[in-house]
Every structure is written in structure tokens, then in C-alpha cells.
Amino acid sequence: MLVLYGVCSPSGATIIPPFFYNGNVVLVDDREERAGVKFNDMDLIGIPVRITVGKKIGEGIAEIKLRNEEETRECKIENVVDEVKNIIKELEDRIIR
């Protein structure tokens, strides 16, 4: 499952359909809460991949965060779908080994 934040902007909204078409379960968190509250809630329920379209949208950048990693990865909006596909493949490969 993927969680998308801040996708109300036109640039952010463009990344939603490709995730659905690729068979992913997508949750768009558009609640009127602070980002930290949303992030904490998703960690608590175990969402493995978080995509945030937020502060850097003006630069065309989204953030990708894996639940089990401390670091946040930055990615151009147009590359988000491919980047997440690669991340999911890496996670699946780790599980299979």
C-alpha cells in the first residue's frame, strides 16, 4: 500500500492514476491535519511506502519514505511511479532471499 500526501495540486494529482493502473492499493490522506500527525498515523498502521508532494512541489520534487528507513528520498514528480516500482521490486527481492 502506498500513501500519497499533498496530491491536491495539479502536479501531485498526476501521479495517482499510474499507481492504480499498476495494481497498487493507494490511500490519499487529505485530512486537515499537520503533516507530522499524518505521518505518525501511517507509521502506526504499518504503511510501507509514503509519497509526499509538499514543500518542494515548486521544484517538481516529491519525497518518498520507506517505513523501515530513516532517510527520505527525493524524486522528480515525473519519475515517482518508476522509482516506487524499483523500490517495491527491491523490497520483494529482499523478502525472497
Side-chain angles (χ1 to χ4, degrees), residues 18-37:
F19 285 114
F20 283 116
Y21 300 146
N22 286 301
N24 296 293
V25 176
V26 178
L27 171 64
V28 177
D29 191 343
D30 60 356
R31 295 178 294 158
E32 293 292 327
E33 291 284 352
R34 292 176 295 117
V37 171

Side-chain angles (χ1 to χ4, degrees), residues 13-92:
T14 62
I15 65 175
I16 297 172
F19 285 114
F20 283 116
Y21 300 146
N22 286 301
N24 296 293
V25 176
V26 178
L27 171 64
V28 177
D29 191 343
D30 60 356
R31 295 178 294 158
E32 293 292 327
E33 291 284 352
R34 292 176 295 117
V37 171
K38 294 179 183 185
F39 298 164
N40 186 55
D41 288 350
M42 294 308 115
D43 283 343
L44 287 172
I45 62 174
I47 302 300
V49 180
R50 181 180 81 210
I51 301 165
T52 306
V53 179
K55 292 185 267 185
K56 297 189 177 184
I57 189 64
E59 301 169 46
I61 295 175
E63 297 174 346
I64 301 171
K65 169 81 171 65
L66 299 181
R67 183 172 164 257
N68 64 340
E69 293 182 2
E70 292 294 320
E71 297 296 315
T72 300
R73 306 172 190 200
E74 292 185 349
C75 181
K76 288 285 197 185
I77 293 267
E78 60 268 16
N79 299 331
V80 167
V81 173
D82 290 333
E83 181 68 20
V84 171
K85 281 183 191 178
N86 291 336
I87 290 169
I88 291 171
K89 172 109 175 66
E90 288 173 19
L91 293 171
E92 289 171 344

